[in-house]
Amino acid sequence: MAVKNVKDVTEQTWKDEVFPEWGNWLNEEIDRTTVKPHTFNMWWLVNMGLWVKSDRQTNIAIDLWCGTGKTTHDKPDMSPRHQWSRLTGGRTIQPNLRAQPMVINPFSIHHLDALLVTHFHHDHIDMNVAAAVLQNTPDTVPFIGPKDVVNQWIDWGVPAKRCRVVKPGDVVKVKDIEISVTDSFDRSVLITDPDTKELPADDSVPDMDDRAVNFVIKTTAGTIYDAADSHYSAYFAKHGKDFDIDVAVVAYGENPIGVQDKMTSVDVLRAAEALNTKIVIPLHWDVWTNMLGDPAEVEQLWRMRKERFNYKFHPFSWLPGGKFVYPDDQNKLEYYHDRGFHDRYTHEINLPYKSFL
């Protein structure tokens, strides 16, 4: 610790010492990784946050969020306009505490080629991240998202010239990476109020394309489909026809009673089959204490159904902060962090006696 005496310890010195919990570990790993030819690397940044690095060393971040959930019981009830009030008729705040540490330091991001955000829900778009990108990366780095996401950025002070509004059908090039913008199926965002002075009428049906999109990220080594917070949709099958998808990431979790917000384990498998992907990775199950899922359930259900339905894909269970390399890791079912001690017995051991071992 920087502080050497308990008399000098304060709440602020404690926060400075332990937060963000991973410090710059993951930032350094990403920066120091040279992606091999004919591969791409991905890191899971918690929730639906994703970092993609191509074999041309192009970096894009998607839905990077470094915020928190509830931090006190002393909060007012939800307003009648809150999406969960509108959906359930309830008013009591949901107990959604953040369940994962901060695995990346946004203010230590210096090598980035584009920031993408799929929609304006507060656990996908982050003022801290926007500020860090503005302060510490070149002024050529674009902010890319649908109309209401861009409006949120501009309202926070992001220069409009740095922002690019996209809608389904658009194609964006970020160096060697080609990003196709597709339809979102996030029905929750349709009842969530955007950052506007005039709120839509209760009985209005907003234009999804203004609020949310999905991204298809094509690299020289393969293609990633980012379904963001989409619910299951039969139209996934159209996207599976339109694109040659290698890896799909989808939002999975345990929905509280009366709420339909995340894909279930069955939905994950149906989405993967419809998208005709080789690998499906359930995300979002990790972060909220009241919606924690278990990707092992997805795997077990896949094992029950794979022969019957002749599945051509398999699920992959990830951990936040973990790396996935395609195609090197394409046959893995589960990730585990580096266990270390690779240099064991490279130097003489120092023990009183060997039987201590």
Side-chain angles (χ1 to χ4, degrees):
M1 291 183 65
V3 176
K4 302 300 182 182
N5 191 291
V6 292
K7 295 180 180 179
D8 299 321
V9 174
T10 66
E11 183 177 357
Q12 188 59 51
T13 65
W14 168 62
K15 290 178 180 178
D16 292 343
E17 183 73 28
V18 305
F19 181 85
E21 292 90 340
W22 280 32
N24 291 329
W25 180 275
L26 189 57
N27 299 76
E28 293 166 358
E29 179 180 324
I30 293 171
D31 287 346
R32 296 173 187 180
T33 296
T34 300
V35 179
K36 299 183 303 183
H38 312 299
T39 70
F40 65 75
N41 287 15
M42 300 193 303
W43 287 266
W44 185 16
L45 308 179
V46 175
N47 205 40
M48 287 301 292
L50 201 64
W51 191 288
V52 179
K53 191 170 186 177
S54 76
D55 62 358
R56 307 288 177 82
Q57 317 313 316
T58 300
N59 292 279
I60 63 172
I62 309 168
D63 287 359
L64 172 53
W65 167 73
C66 297
T68 189
K70 299 300 184 294
T71 57
T72 176
H73 287 271
D74 299 326
K75 288 186 69 67
D77 289 345
M78 294 184 292
S79 75
R81 290 288 306 191
H82 192 282
Q83 62 265 30
W84 301 134
S85 291
R86 295 185 66 183
L87 182 67
T88 68
R91 293 290 185 271
T92 304
I93 59 170
Q94 60 168 324
N96 61 323
L97 286 76
R98 182 180 173 122
Q100 291 292 346
M102 301 288 178
V103 300
I104 195 165
N105 181 351
F107 289 92
S108 291
I109 293 173
H110 301 287
H111 305 289
L112 183 68
D113 295 293
L115 175 65
L116 282 63
V117 167
T118 59
H119 64 291
F120 59 80
H121 276 150
H122 88 275
D123 57 342
H124 293 254
I125 185 171
D126 190 332
M127 184 188 292
N128 301 296
V129 171
V133 171
L134 286 175
Q135 294 171 22
N136 299 311
T137 68
D139 59 11
T140 54
V141 175
F143 290 65
I144 300 170
K147 178 183 175 181
D148 288 338
V149 165
V150 168
N151 287 343
Q152 179 70 83
W153 276 328
I154 292 173
D155 186 53
W156 285 342
V158 176
K161 65 181 181 181
R162 295 285 299 274
C163 299
R164 175 164 180 176
V165 175
V166 292
K167 62 184 184 306
D170 289 347
V171 178
V172 179
K173 289 282 289 185
V174 179
K175 295 184 176 179
D176 56 293
I177 294 179
E178 181 179 279
I179 302 162
S180 296
V181 185
T182 68
D183 318 82
S184 168
F185 312 112
D186 179 8
R187 291 180 283 279
S188 295
V189 82
L190 292 177
I191 56 171
T192 305
D193 288 332
D195 181 38
T196 56
K197 293 181 180 179
E198 294 186 10
L199 299 178
D202 289 347
D203 59 353
S204 67
V205 180
D207 187 340
M208 178 73 88
D209 295 348
D210 289 342
R211 295 188 167 211
V213 296
N214 293 351
F215 291 121
V216 183
I217 300 106
K218 183 178 180 181
T219 76
T220 57
T223 298
I224 307 152
Y225 183 93
D226 189 335
D229 274 6
S230 288
H231 300 76
Y232 176 77
S233 171
Y235 206 73
F236 276 138
K238 179 64 165 63
H239 292 175
K241 287 281 190 180
D242 291 344
F243 302 98
D244 184 11
I245 301 166
D246 296 292
V247 181
V249 295
V250 301
Y252 160 64
E254 286 299 326
N255 297 294
I257 297 172
V259 173
Q260 179 60 46
D261 186 48
K262 300 292 178 287
M263 289 196 209
T264 66
S265 50
V266 171
D267 292 333
V268 170
L269 300 181
R270 293 182 70 203
E273 186 178 31
L275 290 168
N276 197 29
T277 184
K278 297 179 179 68
I279 301 162
V280 64
I281 306 180
L283 305 182
H284 215 318
W285 56 266
D286 65 308
V287 73
W288 295 130
T289 54
N290 65 326
M291 295 189 185
L292 290 175
D294 185 352
E297 178 182 309
V298 176
E299 181 184 336
Q300 289 302 312
L301 194 60
W302 170 78
R303 291 185 184 279
M304 291 174 60
R305 297 161 62 100
K306 65 176 182 173
E307 299 300 330
R308 180 185 306 166
F309 296 117
N310 195 28
Y311 283 157
K312 303 299 183 184
F313 69 90
H314 67 80
F316 175 72
S317 297
W318 217 354
L319 289 175
K323 181 169 73 171
F324 179 86
V325 180
Y326 186 85
D328 296 22
D329 296 336
Q330 64 180 322
N331 295 320
K332 290 184 177 180
L333 292 178
E334 187 173 356
Y335 173 87
Y336 198 82
H337 291 300
D338 185 356
R339 299 174 71 191
F341 301 99
H342 304 294
D343 61 344
R344 54 194 173 272
Y345 298 112
T346 57
H347 300 281
E348 289 295 323
I349 61 175
N350 182 12
L351 295 173
Y353 43 87
K354 289 182 180 177
S355 59
F356 183 88
L357 299 172

